[in-house]
Amino acid sequence: MDPIVLAAGTALVTAMATDTWQQARSGAVALWRRVRPEQEKAVEDELAEVRLQILAARDDGDTDTERALAGAWQIRLQQLLREDPDLANELKQVLDNVLTPALSLNEREQYGEITMKATASGQGRVYQAGRDQHITER
């Protein structure tokens, strides 16, 4: 599954439990509107239901339900990308500009994948880190 889909599905479900859930819902609905406009209202309604399920799961400490819901939305997002591969850029924008900002720092660290590539030639050095990095050289 596309790493952006994995991150977006998880972030979408997680964002549904925040105060900015309406923005998260709007971002997801915009994707459906582009590929399957006839399903726009149904997706809006389903996301409202997901919000209720997530809030109940969090109240109960039920992380399995939250993971299952994230998985279900990951599959749905993957299906959209199969129908319209060009939607990947728009999904990435929704992830970066709508979903991720709705999450706490701790929630942001629970999902996502980092892919880094670097090339050095000669005696060049490359330092990469997904988080903190401290380098001491003489």
Side-chain angles (χ1 to χ4, degrees), residues 30-38 79-80 83-84 87:
L31 296 171
W32 258 267
R33 187 179 309 120
R34 181 167 172 222
V35 178
R36 297 179 185 165
E38 71 284 357
Q79 290 170 337
L80 283 184
E83 289 179 32
D84 185 354
L87 194 64

Side-chain angles (χ1 to χ4, degrees), residues 18-45:
T18 69
D19 291 338
T20 59
W21 72 276
Q22 291 179 341
Q23 292 170 332
R25 183 180 67 183
S26 295
V29 170
L31 296 171
W32 258 267
R33 187 179 309 120
R34 181 167 172 222
V35 178
R36 297 179 185 165
E38 71 284 357
Q39 293 181 356
E40 178 180 349
K41 177 67 173 137
V43 168
E44 279 183 338
D45 293 343

Side-chain angles (χ1 to χ4, degrees), residues 76-104:
R76 293 184 75 175
L77 290 168
Q78 185 69 43
Q79 290 170 337
L80 283 184
L81 287 185
R82 281 192 187 119
E83 289 179 32
D84 185 354
D86 294 335
L87 194 64
N89 289 332
E90 192 173 335
L91 178 58
K92 177 81 169 109
Q93 288 177 356
V94 169
L95 175 63
D96 292 343
N97 300 326
V98 179
L99 301 177
T100 300
L103 306 178
S104 70

